[in-house]
Amino acid sequence: PEFNRIEILNLYDFGMEIPRIMLEEIIDLPRETLIKDLEKLMVDAVERYHFLSLNKWSNEKNNFPLHALYILKEIDAVESLPAIFSFLEYDEEFIEFWLGDHTSEYLWQVFYSLGFNQTNELKEFLLRPNVYSFVKTAVTHALSQIGLHHSEKKEEVSAIFFEVYSVMLHADIEDDIVDTEFISFAIGDAIDCKLTEL
């Protein structure tokens, strides 16, 4: 893609061992164009997925969407949450290719930071059909951590868990939102948050 700033191209050439100074230079770029460029990286990951997935995996060339997610979190780009949802709504194979273990290990931090004041949007994403179990689990883990560490948000978080459980309880299999693996992890997150009222 054509980017506003050439520095973004460095995200295609380095894996998770990208030099700190390079990341700092990117983070210091003008916010508005930086966000547009990072969102464009995620679109590129979608558009070129089939091409790149047919070629040999490169730990440098194939980490650029991860860089985009983590930098958006770092600059607190709350306005990018819809773009992040669009990237993460693809199937298991797509998510595993681009994010791998980061999905279950670190993705929740992105939702925690960017969704802290957008919990309704997190809930709506949980109720989208056909979203990969571990992506949804990252959302409930983030919600659990928000409720656990911010007592003023606990009631709000509890209401979200209650609604998600209720929708799934009354859903038909054709709705494509019933996901037993996700439900089991979501119950664990509610327990971690001590939502005993549920």
Side-chain angles (χ1 to χ4, degrees):
E2 289 186 21
F3 295 107
N4 293 290
R5 298 298 296 253
I6 196 167
E7 294 91 336
I8 296 296
L9 294 173
N10 289 323
L11 300 179
Y12 287 95
D13 293 325
F14 290 89
M16 299 314 288
E17 301 299 319
I18 186 169
R20 183 182 180 92
I21 190 165
M22 200 171 282
L23 279 176
E24 289 171 348
E25 287 172 359
I26 291 170
I27 286 169
D28 287 338
L29 292 172
R31 179 183 172 83
E32 186 177 341
T33 53
L34 174 57
I35 289 172
K36 287 180 182 175
D37 283 346
L38 293 171
E39 289 180 358
K40 198 177 283 188
L41 275 175
M42 291 188 293
V43 171
D44 184 36
V46 172
E47 292 179 347
R48 293 198 301 142
Y49 165 64
H50 292 293
F51 169 75
L52 291 169
S53 65
L54 291 174
N55 291 283
K56 187 178 177 184
W57 168 262
S58 166
N59 197 37
E60 287 77 34
K61 305 287 184 183
N62 294 26
N63 273 325
F64 62 91
L66 269 172
H67 290 312
L69 287 168
Y70 292 151
I71 295 171
L72 287 167
K73 171 198 164 294
E74 187 66 25
I75 64 172
D76 199 30
V78 293
E79 62 269 47
S80 291
L81 199 55
I84 291 170
F85 288 152
S86 293
F87 173 70
L88 294 171
E89 68 184 1
Y90 289 89
D91 63 19
E92 176 180 355
E93 190 175 308
F94 175 91
I95 297 297
E96 287 297 327
F97 178 79
W98 286 121
L99 306 185
D101 290 343
H102 290 265
T103 309
S104 56
E105 297 293 327
Y106 306 111
L107 183 60
W108 71 270
Q109 297 173 16
V110 175
F111 293 126
Y112 182 97
S113 294
L114 304 185
F116 187 84
N117 290 315
Q118 301 186 80
T119 54
N120 190 60
E121 286 78 0
L122 295 180
K123 178 192 75 180
E124 294 302 321
F125 183 68
L126 288 173
L127 296 175
R128 284 191 195 181
N130 298 313
V131 175
Y132 179 37
S133 304
F134 287 105
V135 170
K136 289 191 291 187
T137 299
V139 175
T140 56
H141 190 60
L143 286 166
S144 173
Q145 292 300 306
I146 289 170
L148 191 61
H149 297 288
H150 299 274
S151 57
E152 75 281 6
K153 304 278 275 185
K154 192 169 182 179
E155 188 175 328
E156 180 182 339
V157 167
S158 180
I160 290 170
F161 274 85
F162 180 79
E163 186 171 344
V164 169
Y165 295 149
S166 297
V167 168
M168 295 204 174
L169 179 65
H170 297 100
D172 291 321
I173 200 71
E174 303 83 43
D175 296 333
D176 289 325
I177 61 166
V178 176
D179 179 340
T180 55
E181 191 166 31
F182 161 69
I183 291 169
S184 63
F185 283 116
I187 290 170
D189 285 327
I191 292 168
D192 289 343
C193 192
K194 300 177 174 54
L195 303 178
T196 54
E197 66 277 11
L198 296 178

